[in-house]
Amino acid sequence: MADAMWLTGPVIRAAAGSHVFCVDNATGETPVSLRLRGEIVDVFGRPLVSDPAAADVVLSIGRTSFDSDDAFRIREERGGGDGVRTFIEGNTAAAALYGLYAWVRRIAAGQSCADYESAPQQSLRMIDHWDQVDGSVERGYAGESIFFGDLDSNEHIDYRYFPARPGADPFRGDMARIEAYARMLASVGVNALALNNVNVRGRAADLMVQPLLGRVAQIARVFSGFGIKLFLAINFAAPKKLGGLSTADPLDPAVRAWWSDVIDGIYEAIPDFGGFLVKADAEGEPGPMQYGRDHKDGANMLAEPMGRHGGIVIWRAFVYNCKQDWRDRSTDRAKAAFENFMPLDGQFADNVVLQVKFGPMDFQVREPLTPLIGALEHTNLMVEFQITAEYLGHQIDVNYVLPQWLSMTGFDTKAPAELTGGDGRVRAIVPALSPNPRCSGYAGVANVGMDKNWTGNKLAQANLYGFGRMCWDGEATAESILDEWLALTFPEAGEAATKAIRGIMLTSNRTYENYCAPLGVGFMVVPGVHYGVSVNGYEYDRWGTYHFADRDGVGVDRTVATGSGYTAQYRPDNAAMYEDVDTTPDELLLFFHHVPYGHVLKSGKTVIQHIYDTHFAGAAAVDGYIEAWDSVRGSIGEADWANVAERLQRQRENAIAWRDQINTYFYRMSGVPDEHGRTIYA
Amino acid sequence: MADAMWLTGPVIRAAAGSHVFCVDNATGETPVSLRLRGEIVDVFGRPLVSDPAAADVVLSIGRTSFDSDDAFRIREERGGGDGVRTFIEGNTAAAALYGLYAWVRRIAAGQSCADYESAPQQSLRMIDHWDQVDGSVERGYAGESIFFGDLDSNEHIDYRYFPARPGADPFRGDMARIEAYARMLASVGVNALALNNVNVRGRAADLMVQPLLGRVAQIARVFSGFGIKLFLAINFAAPKKLGGLSTADPLDPAVRAWWSDVIDGIYEAIPDFGGFLVKADAEGEPGPMQYGRDHKDGANMLAEPMGRHGGIVIWRAFVYNCKQDWRDRSTDRAKAAFENFMPLDGQFADNVVLQVKFGPMDFQVREPLTPLIGALEHTNLMVEFQITAEYLGHQIDVNYVLPQWLSMTGFDTKAPAELTGGDGRVRAIVPALSPNPRCSGYAGVANVGMDKNWTGNKLAQANLYGFGRMCWDGEATAESILDEWLALTFPEAGEAATKAIRGIMLTSNRTYENYCAPLGVGFMVVPGVHYGVSVNGYEYDRWGTYHFADRDGVGVDRTVATGSGYTAQYRPDNAAMYEDVDTTPDELLLFFHHVPYGHVLKSGKTVIQHIYDTHFAGAAAVDGYIEAWDSVRGSIGEADWANVAERLQRQRENAIAWRDQINTYFYRMSGVPDEHGRTIYA
């Protein structure tokens, strides 16, 4: 049986207590309200009565008038006798469901339930699965897809594609696992999910039509009960591939009619279908530009029929020239998203959302915020995060990523106050600047698979948990989210062990950064795999990710004065900050500037000495983790302990490889010895 | 239908003429003598009569007494009338067969057949197939295996393994193609062939037992007719995997008995079976060292039962630590073969052959000769060449490799005259120093696949042809072998086109060297794939292949004085030559020495300027090839022309990528500009 993640038995039992529950529904019954009743009976195993007066936990639906239909309140009433009665209230059944699991969480974390009210910061709180119909998961590090594949298969082949499955049914059919997953997501407020990889190849293009659509509908029904709308990633060339048309030109009437029919068919099978997720004209995928049209033409063509059913179109902004020549210094991949989409600001339909990766490159451990966020003023916006640890250690290395994400969502874009109402931070402007705030939010690429513990490394569950919590409660801190997760996941751990795990996790993102590519330069990874060090792995490749290290210095000059001019894409205050080597934050120095190895950082260290110091420190920190983890043994379940212990040994190897290769590479380049005389292999 | 390679219709027709043939066999009929008769009827399409007096081409068997049973003589007799009668004579049917195709060749090449006598320099003239039972070919660049795979399948997936084939029969069963191949090999004197890859995985281990052995026997029968003995590569752990024993310890009586039974079974099915080819204790393959035994124990254990049937055991010397740490400067992969096998010299059974790669590393475009050759004094020896172009351009880039091979076989090992009889060159000492000369020779890794033209690039056929010719006629030159091949392959080409093709091919190996890793340093290739440039691809890896470039210099110090001490493995004169930077040949400088970029070569150029010059020259040469090839159009078949034209375009891309990445890498490292101010991308 799969791991219970953060809805562990003791936590559920502690909340369930000896309570008698009532669902007091002032609205009509819906899939969610029925599921809510089911939760009490199936999960909490407690009596569910019809008369609110006979219950001491009342889930009240439709008797509030919160601004948000997802908002809930938890309050306690002291009754006539000695009892305390708890009310969990919201406009909708989904709100009550969110409130129910918030109540569980608050009990486990020792937080008061006397009077607690909460509304989500982001409207769309979405998980994107890069699952493939052959059972593989692109960038999946926890085994095969929970949706697709053979019942008993769980190969770990990482980024490669499986051989085509000849069988007729690509679905795994493990509905119990899907239900458990949906519950887990709903418990942290997730309300949208894309079922399949944005690279839509082979039979994946057929998911939106019968007969596969029928199987998709079965899965959608499970998610529906938990208030989660299902989305499908689609192939823009489907009118040709599936429809037998001679073109996929979005302005062609036959193409438009074909899509309209397909969308009508989907809503027949899945009445609350969420919509489409589209990667077009990117990294080789088809799109409207093949027909001389632009992204707006493509997105709006789909949005029209989708809108008739209340659906939306999520259009990815991850568009760049992936056949760049390393010899070409005039092109800068970091500029691509802004250049492609700023000219279209204001031209997308009301139910189109632009999904933008948080950084201008691709989910590195250190990137600046993409300048597109804060620049767009008339376009619905979703920020894309990657929960799966493609560049962050493949769920082998411990990497609790909330500190990094929250620094991104807390970054002040300097968007003008007259537009934002005064708060220019990412988390505030996503709803504030989206013309249709219902069509805005965050998306995170899933990190789960068929591994028993869902995420390969047990501690990687915290990132899935944290993503949901960050979408909802944007002002929560990385520490407070981690404390909740620890209380829910390891309720038995005790103070010392909890402190030890907390210490590892809170520093883990910085530790990973310390032993990776220095000072924001990024991408010194093994090509394709993206795990492990290869300083020059991408240096002479076509992906636009270069470090330009030579015997004198290192870094990418993205200034207006002497470089690619990327800094000009930011709002003026930020542009000025990044343009000037003296005001650029140390940790992003090599992202924006090419500097000599002797350049002195704000820390007082030279760049070369900083490289050495952080790499020795990063690897040493992992030794500390191993020691700390040893002290945890016996305080948590042995299987979980052993899982992480094994991963930490592999992380140690990885960290040492990074330390030594980075140090040697830059020593060979610079000729500058370490000030402290530590071992750098010549 | 497959390409006819060098046995083209016009060439066969020219030889067949209006002749009447006779096979005058003074010995008993054998599979080879029967096949010889078949050749006249099936291939030459001419009358075959019983009475020698009624024939004007007489193939005479068993009436000569040459030292070598493979030797033949071709002579002409002027008859009483105006006719000339040709006699092709040898001790055996195989000798007559070799003579027959030599006669064809000499006619095509315009050489005299009046009185020509020839004996092979090497006894074993062997082709090693790295074909796998799933249909793939490890390091194959011409499609799938001609032996294994599905009838209609010819995927090009290079070095990767195919998914396991679920079907029961791994054999392709294209017996016509196998016969054509066997004829081609026999026509250049090949007399041994290993059917399957030395990495023996999965069902490949079962080839030596029924039921698969029965299918192997069908293939062996085809080769038998052409005088070619079939060998199987085996898995040393077979007693455990197949036999159900608890060990594969070569000194365990049950293990020995099991192998003995297996070998008896093979000879029952294949009476002229050649023997085993064994990769043991190498790159992760099992071997005797797992049981505390050594290579001699493993090889001799197999040799004993094999010897009862006249079979031999070929034991590969490609043994090194493939989990080296790049930080470890005390280990030098180049030293491994010598260190592993010199202590065992004289301890192998009489029918064991050690198969040694020509260089100490792995088939780079420039390596010194391995010091093991010339050092071994009491061990049967085969030299291993790689016809397939793993490191030589994947049969995309034109690379006629005979100049390189012949420089290897012509290298003077300086083995003492009292042992060699005075000729210390590789080609002479292989038979001279092998205690059992019958068990010595050359092996070449096959370069053919299911591609219509067998070798991907039409011009790569010349390397297969040349390998056979080099085994037989060791004193032939790269030029003379090429001229034969051109006359046989493009008999229609005419003088200008032949000259153009000849010009391309004769310079192609040097051109490839020019744009690759400089001055013998080697291995700056894309890891795994081994095509294309990646300067640091292996620099921090576990394979022991490093260049140690830093801001001051480049190269591997293998001297006794200051380096790994590898030079001491050579005989004294050669050791002294390589030990001294001033007497080391320029082209091997960085293989033996780490020198500053400003080091002046014998050519008068600095190392850094040599790097720039050769890389510009190498890429420019490919432009010249394209121009020259354009001039060939119309002079040879259009399909062959187009095939090479397409490959040359890809070679051009490859050469430019090498040029620019090598030049930029070393410019960034050294900071030294090109003397001629050509474009080097910073």
Side-chain angles (χ1 to χ4, degrees):
Chain A
M1 217 180 78
D3 184 302
M5 294 219 265
W6 52 83
L7 295 179
T8 48
V11 159
I12 295 292
R13 283 193 297 276
S18 53
H19 297 303
V20 173
F21 288 76
C22 172
V23 173
D24 174 23
N25 187 0
T27 71
E29 293 290 330
T30 61
V32 182
S33 67
L34 293 172
R35 183 65 250 165
L36 183 61
R37 294 179 192 278
E39 293 297 282
I40 302 305
V41 177
D42 302 340
V43 179
F44 291 76
R46 295 301 306 160
L48 180 66
V49 299
S50 300
D51 177 7
D56 63 343
V57 180
V58 178
L59 297 149
S60 158
I61 303 169
R63 300 191 189 281
T64 51
S65 53
F66 292 120
D67 287 346
S68 161
D69 278 348
D70 290 345
F72 62 85
R73 178 168 54 221
I74 306 171
R75 61 182 177 83
E76 292 175 350
E77 275 184 13
R78 207 150 285 274
D82 56 349
V84 171
R85 300 182 70 215
T86 300
F87 292 83
I88 301 172
E89 308 166 327
N91 297 0
T92 65
L97 183 69
Y98 299 140
L100 174 64
Y101 283 107
W103 177 67
V104 171
R105 180 179 78 235
R106 295 184 71 81
I107 292 169
Q111 296 162 338
S112 164
C113 295
D115 191 7
Y116 176 72
E117 199 177 305
S118 184
Q121 189 173 48
Q122 304 302 330
S123 297
L124 282 169
R125 306 175 295 276
M126 181 164 185
I127 302 288
D128 289 352
H129 277 258
W130 287 356
D131 295 24
Q132 312 195 110
V133 290
D134 59 10
S136 68
V137 179
E138 186 168 335
R139 309 301 175 189
Y141 310 110
E144 292 185 21
S145 166
I146 63 172
F147 301 120
F148 305 104
D150 294 318
L151 185 63
D152 57 351
S153 171
N154 190 30
E155 287 186 61
H156 286 72
I157 58 164
D158 194 16
Y159 65 98
R160 276 186 257 170
Y161 294 96
F162 287 14
R165 289 175 78 230
D169 182 0
F171 290 90
R172 187 177 293 274
D174 187 347
M175 303 312 282
R177 184 142 186 158
I178 293 173
E179 182 183 312
Y181 182 54
R183 175 175 298 114
M184 217 72 72
L185 295 183
S187 79
V188 292
V190 168
N191 66 354
L193 181 139
L195 188 69
N196 60 309
N197 188 7
V198 290
N199 296 317
V200 184
R201 311 228 170 95
R203 294 187 77 203
D206 303 1
L207 290 171
M208 64 183 184
V209 295
Q210 295 292 0
L212 295 189
L213 178 61
R215 306 298 306 272
V216 173
Q218 287 180 25
I219 294 173
R221 209 162 296 135
V222 175
F223 283 109
S224 277
F226 290 93
I228 298 168
K229 289 193 172 189
L230 201 73
F231 287 69
L232 287 175
I234 57 108
N235 186 313
F236 199 81
K240 293 168 69 178
K241 295 186 175 177
L242 266 73
L245 302 186
S246 62
T247 176
D249 180 350
L251 299 193
D252 184 285
V255 170
R256 301 175 75 92
W258 186 84
W259 278 112
S260 182
D261 283 351
V262 165
I263 290 168
D264 288 347
I266 295 174
Y267 278 95
E268 206 168 297
I270 309 173
D272 65 343
F273 183 67
F276 286 158
L277 173 61
V278 191
K279 176 177 180 177
D281 288 313
E283 296 185 322
E285 297 302 312
M289 296 173 87
Q290 295 173 332
Y291 304 98
R293 314 306 179 184
D294 63 20
H295 292 283
K296 164 255 304 171
D297 296 323
N300 292 350
M301 179 264 296
L302 297 169
E304 191 193 319
M306 197 66 85
R308 292 200 299 268
H309 302 280
I312 66 179
V313 173
I314 302 173
W315 196 267
R316 289 178 92 234
F318 187 57
V319 175
Y320 67 100
N321 174 10
C322 69
K323 294 187 176 173
Q324 197 181 326
D325 190 322
W326 62 271
R327 289 162 280 221
D328 164 24
R329 290 285 190 111
S330 69
T331 304
D332 180 0
R333 168 169 162 182
K335 295 167 73 175
F338 186 98
E339 287 176 341
N340 279 297
F341 288 95
M342 269 312 286
L344 302 174
D345 191 25
Q347 299 184 44
F348 288 102
D350 184 58
N351 61 331
V352 171
V353 194
L354 203 59
Q355 183 171 303
V356 185
K357 292 191 180 187
F358 66 69
M361 300 299 280
D362 194 9
F363 299 132
Q364 301 301 290
V365 67
R366 179 69 68 176
E367 284 189 56
L369 184 81
T370 174
L372 194 56
I373 301 176
L376 290 170
E377 299 181 0
H378 312 288
T379 303
N380 297 321
L381 187 66
M382 288 181 83
V383 187
E384 184 173 325
F385 299 86
Q386 198 178 36
I387 313 172
T388 193
E390 178 178 353
Y391 294 97
L392 298 185
H394 283 202
Q395 288 147 231
I396 297 165
D397 301 26
V398 179
N399 198 331
Y400 175 61
V401 77
L402 267 292
Q404 183 185 356
W405 288 347
L406 292 173
S407 80
M408 284 296 179
T409 67
F411 183 81
D412 188 350
T413 64
K414 308 286 185 185
E418 61 269 27
L419 294 170
T420 65
D423 188 345
R425 295 176 309 156
V426 173
R427 62 185 72 145
I429 67 168
V430 167
L433 288 185
S434 292
N436 178 358
R438 184 179 76 85
C439 294
S440 72
Y442 297 163
V445 181
N447 68 342
V448 303
M450 283 303 291
D451 277 3
K452 193 171 182 313
N453 72 5
W454 298 87
T455 51
N457 186 328
K458 173 77 181 173
L459 303 184
Q461 294 177 359
N463 291 330
L464 181 60
Y465 178 87
F467 173 75
R469 295 289 295 122
M470 171 181 84
C471 292
W472 187 287
D473 191 1
E475 306 301 335
T477 64
E479 290 81 358
S480 70
I481 291 173
L482 179 59
D483 287 337
E484 291 172 12
W485 181 79
L486 286 167
L488 290 161
T489 303
F490 300 119
E492 75 285 16
E495 199 173 330
T498 301
K499 193 177 162 202
I501 305 173
R502 189 179 194 272
I504 292 170
M505 292 178 74
L506 268 184
T507 56
S508 61
N509 184 253
R510 188 59 189 245
T511 290
Y512 191 84
E513 180 182 7
N514 277 345
Y515 59 72
C516 286
L519 297 165
V521 78
F523 271 104
M524 293 179 171
V525 290
V526 175
V529 177
H530 299 173
Y531 185 80
V533 54
S534 177
V535 178
N536 278 357
Y538 278 112
E539 188 63 10
Y540 299 95
D541 215 329
R542 65 186 174 90
W543 300 94
T545 53
Y546 313 116
H547 56 65
F548 301 127
D550 63 18
R551 73 201 314 265
D552 301 317
V554 56
V556 186
D557 185 350
R558 294 193 159 103
T559 63
V560 172
T562 55
S564 73
Y566 164 76
T567 57
Q569 293 183 342
Y570 288 92
R571 295 281 183 179
D573 287 359
N574 288 333
M577 172 177 67
Y578 291 138
E579 178 74 10
D580 184 346
V581 68
D582 291 329
T583 53
T584 300
D586 277 356
E587 65 271 16
L588 286 168
L589 181 69
L590 302 184
F591 192 92
F592 286 103
H593 302 279
H594 186 93
V595 300
Y597 294 113
H599 176 88
V600 179
L601 298 170
K602 292 172 190 59
S603 68
K605 290 180 184 177
T606 60
V607 164
I608 189 70
Q609 191 59 38
H610 174 92
I611 291 174
Y612 298 153
D613 287 351
T614 49
H615 285 78
F616 283 113
V622 180
D623 288 335
Y625 293 171
I626 290 171
E627 204 175 310
W629 194 253
D630 280 342
S631 77
V632 170
R633 189 166 198 175
S635 301
I636 64 171
E638 179 66 12
D640 288 341
W641 183 86
N643 163 259
V644 176
E646 184 265 350
R647 304 264 156 169
L648 283 170
Q649 289 298 333
R650 289 159 70 189
Q651 177 170 8
R652 184 170 180 275
E653 281 177 38
N654 189 38
I656 290 173
W658 272 96
R659 177 194 70 194
D660 289 345
Q661 290 188 42
I662 293 281
N663 284 349
T664 293
Y665 184 90
F666 285 103
Y667 174 71
R668 288 185 182 178
M669 273 287 186
S670 70
V672 180
D674 173 39
E675 277 178 10
H676 307 294
R678 291 163 294 191
T679 301
I680 295 178
Y681 299 87
Chain B
M1 215 181 77
D3 183 302
M5 295 218 264
W6 52 83
L7 295 179
T8 46
V11 157
I12 296 291
R13 283 193 297 276
S18 54
H19 298 304
V20 174
F21 289 76
C22 170
V23 173
D24 172 23
N25 187 0
T27 69
E29 291 292 328
T30 61
V32 182
S33 68
L34 293 172
R35 183 65 251 162
L36 182 62
R37 293 178 191 279
E39 292 299 282
I40 302 305
V41 178
D42 301 342
V43 179
F44 291 75
R46 296 302 306 159
L48 180 68
V49 298
S50 299
D51 177 9
D56 63 344
V57 179
V58 179
L59 297 149
S60 156
I61 302 168
R63 301 190 190 281
T64 50
S65 52
F66 292 119
D67 288 345
S68 162
D69 279 348
D70 291 347
F72 62 85
R73 178 169 53 222
I74 306 172
R75 61 183 178 82
E76 292 175 353
E77 274 183 15
R78 206 152 285 275
D82 56 349
V84 170
R85 299 182 71 215
T86 300
F87 291 83
I88 301 172
E89 308 165 326
N91 298 358
T92 65
L97 183 69
Y98 298 140
L100 174 65
Y101 282 106
W103 177 68
V104 171
R105 179 180 77 235
R106 294 183 72 81
I107 292 169
Q111 297 161 338
S112 163
C113 294
D115 191 7
Y116 176 72
E117 198 177 306
S118 185
Q121 189 174 48
Q122 304 302 330
S123 297
L124 283 169
R125 306 176 295 275
M126 183 164 184
I127 301 287
D128 289 352
H129 277 258
W130 288 357
D131 294 24
Q132 313 194 109
V133 290
D134 60 10
S136 67
V137 178
E138 185 168 334
R139 308 303 176 188
Y141 311 110
E144 293 187 20
S145 167
I146 62 172
F147 301 119
F148 305 104
D150 293 320
L151 185 63
D152 57 350
S153 171
N154 190 30
E155 287 188 60
H156 287 72
I157 60 164
D158 195 14
Y159 66 97
R160 275 186 256 168
Y161 295 96
F162 287 12
R165 289 175 77 231
D169 183 359
F171 289 90
R172 185 176 296 272
D174 186 347
M175 303 312 282
R177 184 144 186 156
I178 293 173
E179 182 184 310
Y181 183 53
R183 174 173 299 112
M184 217 71 74
L185 295 183
S187 80
V188 291
V190 169
N191 66 354
L193 181 139
L195 188 71
N196 61 309
N197 188 7
V198 291
N199 296 317
V200 184
R201 310 228 172 95
R203 292 186 79 201
D206 303 2
L207 290 172
M208 62 182 183
V209 295
Q210 296 292 0
L212 296 188
L213 178 60
R215 305 299 305 271
V216 173
Q218 288 180 25
I219 294 174
R221 206 162 296 134
V222 176
F223 283 110
S224 277
F226 290 95
I228 297 169
K229 289 193 173 190
L230 201 74
F231 288 69
L232 287 174
I234 57 110
N235 186 312
F236 199 81
K240 293 167 70 178
K241 294 186 175 176
L242 266 74
L245 302 186
S246 61
T247 178
D249 180 351
L251 300 194
D252 184 285
V255 170
R256 300 175 76 91
W258 186 85
W259 278 113
S260 181
D261 283 351
V262 165
I263 289 168
D264 287 349
I266 295 174
Y267 277 94
E268 206 168 297
I270 309 173
D272 65 343
F273 181 67
F276 286 159
L277 173 60
V278 191
K279 176 177 180 177
D281 289 314
E283 297 185 323
E285 298 302 312
M289 296 175 88
Q290 295 173 335
Y291 304 99
R293 315 304 179 185
D294 62 22
H295 292 283
K296 164 254 304 173
D297 296 324
N300 292 351
M301 180 263 297
L302 296 169
E304 192 193 317
M306 196 66 84
R308 290 199 303 268
H309 301 281
I312 66 178
V313 173
I314 302 173
W315 197 267
R316 289 177 95 235
F318 187 57
V319 175
Y320 66 99
N321 174 12
C322 70
K323 294 189 175 172
Q324 196 180 326
D325 189 323
W326 61 271
R327 288 162 282 221
D328 164 24
R329 290 285 190 111
S330 69
T331 304
D332 180 359
R333 169 169 163 181
K335 295 167 73 176
F338 186 98
E339 287 176 340
N340 279 297
F341 288 95
M342 267 314 284
L344 301 175
D345 190 26
Q347 299 184 43
F348 287 102
D350 185 59
N351 62 329
V352 172
V353 193
L354 204 59
Q355 182 170 305
V356 185
K357 292 190 180 186
F358 66 68
M361 299 301 279
D362 194 9
F363 300 131
Q364 300 302 289
V365 67
R366 180 68 69 175
E367 284 189 57
L369 184 82
T370 173
L372 193 57
I373 300 176
L376 289 169
E377 298 181 0
H378 312 290
T379 302
N380 296 321
L381 186 66
M382 289 182 80
V383 186
E384 184 173 326
F385 299 86
Q386 198 177 36
I387 312 172
T388 192
E390 177 178 353
Y391 294 97
L392 298 185
H394 284 201
Q395 289 147 229
I396 298 165
D397 301 25
V398 180
N399 198 330
Y400 174 61
V401 77
L402 267 291
Q404 184 185 356
W405 288 346
L406 291 174
S407 80
M408 284 296 178
T409 66
F411 183 81
D412 187 349
T413 63
K414 307 285 184 185
E418 61 267 27
L419 294 170
T420 64
D423 188 344
R425 296 176 309 155
V426 172
R427 62 184 73 143
I429 65 168
V430 167
L433 288 185
S434 292
N436 179 359
R438 185 178 75 83
C439 294
S440 73
Y442 297 164
V445 182
N447 69 342
V448 304
M450 284 302 292
D451 278 3
K452 194 170 181 314
N453 71 4
W454 298 86
T455 52
N457 186 327
K458 173 77 181 174
L459 302 185
Q461 294 177 358
N463 291 328
L464 180 60
Y465 179 86
F467 173 76
R469 295 289 295 122
M470 169 180 84
C471 293
W472 186 288
D473 191 1
E475 306 301 334
T477 64
E479 291 80 359
S480 70
I481 291 173
L482 179 60
D483 287 337
E484 290 171 14
W485 180 79
L486 286 166
L488 289 161
T489 303
F490 300 119
E492 75 283 16
E495 200 175 329
T498 301
K499 192 177 163 202
I501 305 173
R502 189 178 194 272
I504 292 171
M505 291 178 75
L506 268 184
T507 56
S508 60
N509 183 251
R510 188 57 188 247
T511 291
Y512 191 83
E513 180 183 8
N514 277 346
Y515 58 74
C516 287
L519 296 165
V521 77
F523 271 104
M524 292 179 171
V525 291
V526 175
V529 178
H530 299 171
Y531 185 81
V533 54
S534 177
V535 179
N536 278 356
Y538 278 113
E539 187 62 8
Y540 299 95
D541 215 328
R542 64 186 175 89
W543 301 93
T545 53
Y546 313 117
H547 56 65
F548 300 127
D550 63 18
R551 73 200 313 266
D552 301 315
V554 55
V556 186
D557 185 350
R558 293 193 159 105
T559 63
V560 172
T562 54
S564 73
Y566 164 77
T567 57
Q569 294 183 342
Y570 288 92
R571 295 280 183 180
D573 287 0
N574 287 333
M577 172 177 68
Y578 291 138
E579 177 75 11
D580 184 347
V581 69
D582 290 329
T583 53
T584 301
D586 277 355
E587 66 269 19
L588 286 168
L589 181 69
L590 302 183
F591 191 91
F592 286 104
H593 302 279
H594 185 93
V595 299
Y597 293 113
H599 175 89
V600 179
L601 298 169
K602 292 172 191 57
S603 68
K605 289 181 183 176
T606 61
V607 164
I608 188 70
Q609 191 58 40
H610 174 94
I611 292 174
Y612 298 153
D613 286 351
T614 49
H615 285 78
F616 283 113
V622 180
D623 287 335
Y625 292 171
I626 290 170
E627 204 174 310
W629 194 253
D630 280 342
S631 78
V632 171
R633 190 166 197 175
S635 301
I636 63 171
E638 179 64 14
D640 287 340
W641 183 87
N643 163 260
V644 176
E646 183 265 350
R647 303 262 157 170
L648 282 170
Q649 289 300 332
R650 289 158 71 189
Q651 176 169 8
R652 184 171 181 274
E653 282 177 37
N654 188 39
I656 290 172
W658 273 95
R659 178 195 70 193
D660 288 344
Q661 290 188 40
I662 293 280
N663 284 349
T664 293
Y665 185 90
F666 285 103
Y667 174 71
R668 287 186 182 177
M669 273 288 186
S670 70
V672 180
D674 172 40
E675 278 177 10
H676 307 294
R678 291 164 294 193
T679 301
I680 295 177
Y681 300 86

